[in-house]
PDB file of all heavy atoms in Angstrom:
ATOM      1  N   VAL U  34      -8.722  -0.266  -1.961  1.00  0.00           N
ATOM      2  CA  VAL U  34      -8.254   0.934  -2.670  1.00  0.00           C
ATOM      3  C   VAL U  34      -9.461   1.696  -3.225  1.00  0.00           C
ATOM      4  O   VAL U  34     -10.120   1.253  -4.170  1.00  0.00           O
ATOM      5  CB  VAL U  34      -7.274   0.549  -3.798  1.00  0.00           C
ATOM      6  CG1 VAL U  34      -6.855   1.789  -4.591  1.00  0.00           C
ATOM      7  CG2 VAL U  34      -6.043  -0.138  -3.213  1.00  0.00           C
ATOM      8  N   LYS U  36      -9.626   4.909  -4.391  1.00  0.00           N
ATOM      9  CA  LYS U  36      -9.357   6.081  -5.245  1.00  0.00           C
ATOM     10  C   LYS U  36     -10.460   6.252  -6.292  1.00  0.00           C
ATOM     11  O   LYS U  36     -10.951   5.251  -6.838  1.00  0.00           O
ATOM     12  CB  LYS U  36      -8.001   5.930  -5.939  1.00  0.00           C
ATOM     13  CG  LYS U  36      -7.912   4.747  -6.888  1.00  0.00           C
ATOM     14  CD  LYS U  36      -6.503   4.594  -7.463  1.00  0.00           C
ATOM     15  CE  LYS U  36      -6.433   3.388  -8.367  1.00  0.00           C
ATOM     16  NZ  LYS U  36      -5.063   2.931  -8.621  1.00  0.00           N
ATOM     17  N   ASN U  57      -4.791   7.223  -3.785  1.00  0.00           N
ATOM     18  CA  ASN U  57      -3.660   7.533  -4.660  1.00  0.00           C
ATOM     19  C   ASN U  57      -3.395   9.004  -4.885  1.00  0.00           C
ATOM     20  O   ASN U  57      -2.312   9.364  -5.316  1.00  0.00           O
ATOM     21  CB  ASN U  57      -3.898   6.978  -6.067  1.00  0.00           C
ATOM     22  CG  ASN U  57      -3.564   5.546  -6.184  1.00  0.00           C
ATOM     23  OD1 ASN U  57      -4.165   4.746  -5.498  1.00  0.00           O
ATOM     24  ND2 ASN U  57      -2.596   5.220  -7.024  1.00  0.00           N
ATOM     25  N   ILE U  81      -0.993   5.457  -1.321  1.00  0.00           N
ATOM     26  CA  ILE U  81      -0.293   4.478  -2.172  1.00  0.00           C
ATOM     27  C   ILE U  81       0.056   5.051  -3.544  1.00  0.00           C
ATOM     28  O   ILE U  81       0.453   4.321  -4.444  1.00  0.00           O
ATOM     29  CB  ILE U  81      -1.138   3.190  -2.348  1.00  0.00           C
ATOM     30  CG1 ILE U  81      -2.479   3.502  -3.033  1.00  0.00           C
ATOM     31  CG2 ILE U  81      -1.380   2.501  -1.004  1.00  0.00           C
ATOM     32  CD1 ILE U  81      -3.242   2.247  -3.451  1.00  0.00           C
ATOM     33  N   GLY U  82      -0.108   6.376  -3.712  1.00  0.00           N
ATOM     34  CA  GLY U  82       0.141   6.973  -5.024  1.00  0.00           C
ATOM     35  C   GLY U  82       1.520   7.599  -5.119  1.00  0.00           C
ATOM     36  O   GLY U  82       2.253   7.673  -4.138  1.00  0.00           O
ATOM     37  N   MET U 163       7.265  -2.119  -0.834  1.00  0.00           N
ATOM     38  CA  MET U 163       6.083  -2.082  -1.693  1.00  0.00           C
ATOM     39  C   MET U 163       6.546  -2.099  -3.147  1.00  0.00           C
ATOM     40  O   MET U 163       7.607  -1.570  -3.473  1.00  0.00           O
ATOM     41  CB  MET U 163       5.303  -0.790  -1.420  1.00  0.00           C
ATOM     42  CG  MET U 163       4.084  -0.555  -2.280  1.00  0.00           C
ATOM     43  SD  MET U 163       4.425   0.322  -3.841  1.00  0.00           S
ATOM     44  CE  MET U 163       2.779   0.875  -4.252  1.00  0.00           C
ATOM     45  N   ILE U 165       4.926  -2.471  -7.532  1.00  0.00           N
ATOM     46  CA  ILE U 165       3.876  -2.698  -8.525  1.00  0.00           C
ATOM     47  C   ILE U 165       4.509  -3.503  -9.660  1.00  0.00           C
ATOM     48  O   ILE U 165       5.363  -2.996 -10.372  1.00  0.00           O
ATOM     49  CB  ILE U 165       3.358  -1.350  -9.089  1.00  0.00           C
ATOM     50  CG1 ILE U 165       2.930  -0.423  -7.952  1.00  0.00           C
ATOM     51  CG2 ILE U 165       2.233  -1.591 -10.098  1.00  0.00           C
ATOM     52  CD1 ILE U 165       2.577   0.994  -8.411  1.00  0.00           C
ATOM     53  N   GLY U 202       0.458  -6.926  -4.789  1.00  0.00           N
ATOM     54  CA  GLY U 202      -0.737  -7.658  -5.184  1.00  0.00           C
ATOM     55  C   GLY U 202      -1.916  -6.718  -5.340  1.00  0.00           C
ATOM     56  O   GLY U 202      -2.193  -5.909  -4.454  1.00  0.00           O
ATOM     57  N   MET U 203      -2.588  -6.798  -6.503  1.00  0.00           N
ATOM     58  CA  MET U 203      -3.759  -5.979  -6.786  1.00  0.00           C
ATOM     59  C   MET U 203      -4.863  -6.923  -7.278  1.00  0.00           C
ATOM     60  O   MET U 203      -4.727  -8.142  -7.214  1.00  0.00           O
ATOM     61  CB  MET U 203      -3.408  -4.907  -7.821  1.00  0.00           C
ATOM     62  CG  MET U 203      -2.110  -4.178  -7.486  1.00  0.00           C
ATOM     63  SD  MET U 203      -1.872  -2.595  -8.322  1.00  0.00           S
ATOM     64  CE  MET U 203      -1.424  -3.100  -9.940  1.00  0.00           C
ATOM     65  N   SER U 204      -5.945  -6.354  -7.788  1.00  0.00           N
ATOM     66  CA  SER U 204      -7.082  -7.202  -8.176  1.00  0.00           C
ATOM     67  C   SER U 204      -6.681  -8.339  -9.112  1.00  0.00           C
ATOM     68  O   SER U 204      -7.175  -9.454  -8.988  1.00  0.00           O
ATOM     69  CB  SER U 204      -8.158  -6.350  -8.859  1.00  0.00           C
ATOM     70  OG  SER U 204      -8.713  -5.434  -7.937  1.00  0.00           O
ATOM     71  N   ASN U 205      -5.762  -8.063 -10.056  1.00  0.00           N
ATOM     72  CA  ASN U 205      -5.455  -9.073 -11.068  1.00  0.00           C
ATOM     73  C   ASN U 205      -4.297  -9.998 -10.728  1.00  0.00           C
ATOM     74  O   ASN U 205      -4.084 -10.987 -11.428  1.00  0.00           O
ATOM     75  CB  ASN U 205      -5.155  -8.396 -12.412  1.00  0.00           C
ATOM     76  CG  ASN U 205      -6.400  -7.771 -12.999  1.00  0.00           C
ATOM     77  OD1 ASN U 205      -7.509  -8.260 -12.756  1.00  0.00           O
ATOM     78  ND2 ASN U 205      -6.236  -6.687 -13.739  1.00  0.00           N
ATOM     79  N   ARG U 219      -3.458  -4.828  -2.196  1.00  0.00           N
ATOM     80  CA  ARG U 219      -4.146  -3.546  -2.399  1.00  0.00           C
ATOM     81  C   ARG U 219      -5.189  -3.739  -3.492  1.00  0.00           C
ATOM     82  O   ARG U 219      -4.867  -3.784  -4.671  1.00  0.00           O
ATOM     83  CB  ARG U 219      -3.124  -2.475  -2.804  1.00  0.00           C
ATOM     84  CG  ARG U 219      -1.888  -2.389  -1.888  1.00  0.00           C
ATOM     85  CD  ARG U 219      -0.920  -1.335  -2.392  1.00  0.00           C
ATOM     86  NE  ARG U 219      -0.546  -1.540  -3.780  1.00  0.00           N
ATOM     87  CZ  ARG U 219       0.580  -2.136  -4.202  1.00  0.00           C
ATOM     88  NH1 ARG U 219       1.475  -2.569  -3.341  1.00  0.00           N
ATOM     89  NH2 ARG U 219       0.815  -2.295  -5.485  1.00  0.00           N
ATOM     90  N   ILE U 220      -6.447  -3.873  -3.069  1.00  0.00           N
ATOM     91  CA  ILE U 220      -7.487  -4.286  -4.005  1.00  0.00           C
ATOM     92  C   ILE U 220      -8.480  -3.150  -4.241  1.00  0.00           C
ATOM     93  O   ILE U 220      -9.128  -2.676  -3.308  1.00  0.00           O
ATOM     94  CB  ILE U 220      -8.258  -5.502  -3.450  1.00  0.00           C
ATOM     95  CG1 ILE U 220      -7.306  -6.613  -3.027  1.00  0.00           C
ATOM     96  CG2 ILE U 220      -9.250  -6.024  -4.483  1.00  0.00           C
ATOM     97  CD1 ILE U 220      -6.496  -7.192  -4.128  1.00  0.00           C
ATOM     98  N   GLY U 221      -8.601  -2.727  -5.486  1.00  0.00           N
ATOM     99  CA  GLY U 221      -9.534  -1.654  -5.826  1.00  0.00           C
ATOM    100  C   GLY U 221     -10.721  -2.149  -6.625  1.00  0.00           C
ATOM    101  O   GLY U 221     -11.818  -2.371  -6.096  1.00  0.00           O
ATOM    102  N   SER U 222     -10.518  -2.345  -7.924  1.00  0.00           N
ATOM    103  CA  SER U 222     -11.649  -2.628  -8.816  1.00  0.00           C
ATOM    104  C   SER U 222     -12.416  -3.895  -8.448  1.00  0.00           C
ATOM    105  O   SER U 222     -13.628  -3.960  -8.632  1.00  0.00           O
ATOM    106  CB  SER U 222     -11.170  -2.673 -10.271  1.00  0.00           C
ATOM    107  OG  SER U 222      -9.998  -3.422 -10.384  1.00  0.00           O
ATOM    108  N   ALA U 223     -11.743  -4.906  -7.893  1.00  0.00           N
ATOM    109  CA  ALA U 223     -12.461  -6.131  -7.531  1.00  0.00           C
ATOM    110  C   ALA U 223     -13.457  -5.884  -6.389  1.00  0.00           C
ATOM    111  O   ALA U 223     -14.379  -6.669  -6.190  1.00  0.00           O
ATOM    112  CB  ALA U 223     -11.473  -7.244  -7.140  1.00  0.00           C
ATOM    113  N   ARG U 228     -12.915   1.705 -12.467  1.00  0.00           N
ATOM    114  CA  ARG U 228     -12.862   3.140 -12.202  1.00  0.00           C
ATOM    115  C   ARG U 228     -13.164   3.946 -13.454  1.00  0.00           C
ATOM    116  O   ARG U 228     -12.803   3.549 -14.551  1.00  0.00           O
ATOM    117  CB  ARG U 228     -11.481   3.538 -11.650  1.00  0.00           C
ATOM    118  CG  ARG U 228     -11.257   3.121 -10.215  1.00  0.00           C
ATOM    119  CD  ARG U 228      -9.867   3.437  -9.749  1.00  0.00           C
ATOM    120  NE  ARG U 228      -8.839   2.650 -10.420  1.00  0.00           N
ATOM    121  CZ  ARG U 228      -8.456   1.435 -10.022  1.00  0.00           C
ATOM    122  NH1 ARG U 228      -8.967   0.881  -8.963  1.00  0.00           N
ATOM    123  NH2 ARG U 228      -7.527   0.789 -10.697  1.00  0.00           N
ATOM    124  N   TYR U 230     -12.280   7.469 -14.963  1.00  0.00           N
ATOM    125  CA  TYR U 230     -11.347   8.581 -14.732  1.00  0.00           C
ATOM    126  C   TYR U 230     -11.799   9.895 -15.371  1.00  0.00           C
ATOM    127  O   TYR U 230     -11.056  10.851 -15.400  1.00  0.00           O
ATOM    128  CB  TYR U 230      -9.946   8.213 -15.214  1.00  0.00           C
ATOM    129  CG  TYR U 230      -9.240   7.281 -14.258  1.00  0.00           C
ATOM    130  CD1 TYR U 230      -9.117   5.934 -14.532  1.00  0.00           C
ATOM    131  CD2 TYR U 230      -8.702   7.781 -13.066  1.00  0.00           C
ATOM    132  CE1 TYR U 230      -8.464   5.083 -13.641  1.00  0.00           C
ATOM    133  CE2 TYR U 230      -8.065   6.936 -12.172  1.00  0.00           C
ATOM    134  CZ  TYR U 230      -7.937   5.591 -12.477  1.00  0.00           C
ATOM    135  OH  TYR U 230      -7.305   4.767 -11.602  1.00  0.00           O
TER     136      TYR U 230
HETATM  137  C1  LIG C 301      -5.087   1.582  -8.224  1.00  0.00           C
HETATM  138  C2  LIG C 301      -4.033   0.871  -7.440  1.00  0.00           C
HETATM  139  C3  LIG C 301      -4.311  -0.364  -6.839  1.00  0.00           C
HETATM  140  C4  LIG C 301      -5.614  -1.114  -7.014  1.00  0.00           C
HETATM  141  O1  LIG C 301      -5.669  -1.618  -8.302  1.00  0.00           O
HETATM  142  P1  LIG C 301      -6.874  -2.602  -8.773  1.00  0.00           P
HETATM  143  O2  LIG C 301      -6.347  -3.200 -10.019  1.00  0.00           O
HETATM  144  O3  LIG C 301      -8.058  -1.738  -8.988  1.00  0.00           O
HETATM  145  O4  LIG C 301      -7.064  -3.581  -7.699  1.00  0.00           O
HETATM  146  C5  LIG C 301      -3.313  -0.939  -6.064  1.00  0.00           C
HETATM  147  N1  LIG C 301      -2.104  -0.337  -5.895  1.00  0.00           N
HETATM  148  C6  LIG C 301      -1.813   0.846  -6.463  1.00  0.00           C
HETATM  149  C7  LIG C 301      -0.482   1.445  -6.246  1.00  0.00           C
HETATM  150  C8  LIG C 301      -2.764   1.470  -7.261  1.00  0.00           C
HETATM  151  O5  LIG C 301      -2.449   2.633  -7.841  1.00  0.00           O
END
Side-chain angles (χ1 to χ4, degrees):
V34 176
K36 63 184 178 198
N57 278 61
I81 61 170
M163 177 272 198
I165 306 172
M203 313 198 284
S204 294
N205 291 330
R219 310 178 306 262
I220 309 297
S222 46
R228 286 176 293 274
Y230 284 103

